[in-house]
Amino acid sequence: MKFTKEIARLRRVEGQARGVIRMLEDERYCADILHQIAAMEAALRATRVKVLAIHAQDCVQEAIESGDKETQRAKFAELAALFGKAGR
């Protein structure tokens, strides 16, 4: 499975999210809560980058190899849009 590492990373994020909820409920120190949120954001960014890379390697490569110009244009437009969203 090509997403094994990403699934594991997201399961850790899931656990971190539950931990942040508990921290909020317990009214823990704000800096500690923010540190955990930053760790979650970093893990999500890393996952997004990896999934985008897999998309480029697999889906876009498939479009290139197909030789179908319309499919190629559509995949490249999709990829450009995804890069645009990733930068936000």
Side-chain angles (χ1 to χ4, degrees):
M1 176 181 258
K2 60 184 164 189
F3 294 113
T4 302
K5 290 181 182 179
E6 291 65 44
I7 291 168
R9 185 180 290 131
L10 289 174
R11 291 200 193 285
R12 283 192 299 278
V13 170
E14 182 180 34
Q16 288 174 306
R18 284 193 298 273
V20 167
I21 290 169
R22 282 192 301 277
M23 291 173 81
L24 291 167
E25 290 171 343
D26 295 343
E27 298 184 11
R28 298 267 304 272
Y29 187 56
C30 292
D32 293 339
I33 295 168
L34 292 170
H35 180 74
Q36 289 301 311
I37 291 170
M40 290 170 53
E41 289 172 336
L44 289 171
R45 271 192 307 278
T47 302
R48 180 181 59 218
V49 166
K50 184 61 178 176
V51 172
L52 188 54
I54 290 169
H55 178 62
Q57 290 169 345
D58 292 351
C59 301
V60 175
Q61 181 65 31
E62 186 178 299
I64 292 168
E65 291 172 355
S66 77
D68 181 339
K69 297 293 184 191
E70 185 57 36
T71 299
Q72 291 170 350
R73 277 192 285 277
K75 283 296 176 191
F76 280 111
E78 178 185 63
L79 189 60
L82 290 171
F83 273 112
K85 289 178 183 178
R88 292 182 199 163

